[in-house]
Amino acid sequence: EPEVTQTPSHQVTQMGQEVILRCVPISNHLYFYWYRQILGQKVEFLVSFYNNEISEKSEIFDDQFSVERPDGSNFTLKIRSTKLEDSAMYFCASSGQGIPNQPQHFGDGTRLSIL
Amino acid sequence: DQQVKQNSPSLSVQEGRISILNCDYTNSMFDYFLWYKKYPAEGPTFLISISSIKDKNEDGRFTVFLNKSAKHLSLHIVPSQPGDSAVYFCAASTGNQFYFGTGTSLTVIP
């Protein structure tokens, strides 16, 4: 069964540095998402992306965050200047073949640790 | 602002019995609801969904019930199996934004 893959599985970064989290969604999916889960807390929506642009974003997704689909397969989340509170599991997900309300398929996440 | 709530952080059930996981939501605009299962060190895995036009959806051992007037949904697992032990998240959406609950950790005791 096709799956969403995320790299790296664990990223350790100094505070203030830029970090890029990478995702390869399922190949025929059209909707892409990033979520985060701070340790012990709920999974929080960050952003959804469709047709090469952001379709929705949460209040967490401020100017420090950006997403990109640089080629036909990768979907990246960039955090420009990391803060300690950015430490979390970051999950990428993809869904659908043109219909937004489709189950999302998640990757196994990238654990981001900010020192 | 917690639009989706799972008030039970944990639940233990004997193998073979029914597991009932509950979820409440506040936004009447939600039109699609899902349940996900999550094992440690893995991403959430989709289990079952229900559209707001229905009140029940069944898939094998899993049934989701939706009570729109009460803004409540539940997941029934019967019979429960030890492999069902995981954290279960409910989620709700309107458009392309999904809201997750905090999860319920289910333990099925052999």
Side-chain angles (χ1 to χ4, degrees), chain A:
Chain A
E1 184 178 320
E3 57 183 29
V4 176
T5 56
Q6 290 185 244
T7 54
S9 57
H10 190 190
Q11 173 78 45
V12 181
T13 300
Q14 290 288 330
M15 187 173 63
Q17 295 295 305
E18 174 183 285
V19 67
I20 297 176
L21 309 182
R22 303 181 191 280
C23 170
V24 179
I26 294 173
S27 61
N28 61 353
H29 282 183
L30 299 177
Y31 292 85
F32 313 110
Y33 310 84
W34 281 101
Y35 291 83
R36 77 173 186 192
Q37 185 180 26
I38 295 171
L39 187 64
Q41 298 185 23
K42 63 180 177 177
V43 175
E44 299 174 293
F45 169 80
L46 291 177
V47 65
S48 59
F49 191 87
Y50 169 71
N51 199 25
N52 281 323
E53 60 183 23
I54 291 172
S55 51
E56 295 197 49
K57 61 182 181 179
S58 72
E59 60 189 25
I60 302 169
F61 194 88
D62 61 21
D63 292 343
Q64 293 297 312
F65 291 88
S66 62
V67 288
E68 197 178 27
R69 191 154 160 79
D71 51 42
S73 59
N74 289 285
F75 179 52
T76 61
L77 173 70
K78 183 193 288 187
I79 309 175
R80 255 180 281 282
S81 178
T82 50
K83 304 187 280 286
L84 292 175
E85 53 264 39
D86 294 326
S87 295
M89 281 291 290
Y90 287 80
F91 293 104
C92 171
S94 68
S95 72
Q97 297 162 21
I99 303 171
N101 273 351
Q102 291 270 301
Q104 296 172 9
H105 297 260
F106 284 78
D108 286 340
T110 293
R111 179 172 299 283
L112 178 62
S113 300
I114 307 300
L115 303 180

Side-chain angles (χ1 to χ4, degrees), chain B residues 9-52:
Chain B
S10 63
L11 174 69
S12 290
V13 170
Q14 284 291 133
E15 181 179 2
R17 298 289 189 100
I18 184 170
S19 296
I20 300 177
L21 297 106
N22 293 304
C23 180
D24 297 294
Y25 61 95
T26 57
N27 189 343
S28 57
M29 298 299 292
F30 287 144
D31 56 4
Y32 188 59
F33 304 89
L34 312 93
W35 283 95
Y36 285 85
K37 175 179 177 179
K38 186 180 181 303
Y39 294 115
E42 294 184 13
T45 303
F46 169 73
L47 267 182
I48 192 168
S49 64
I50 187 166
S51 161
S52 60

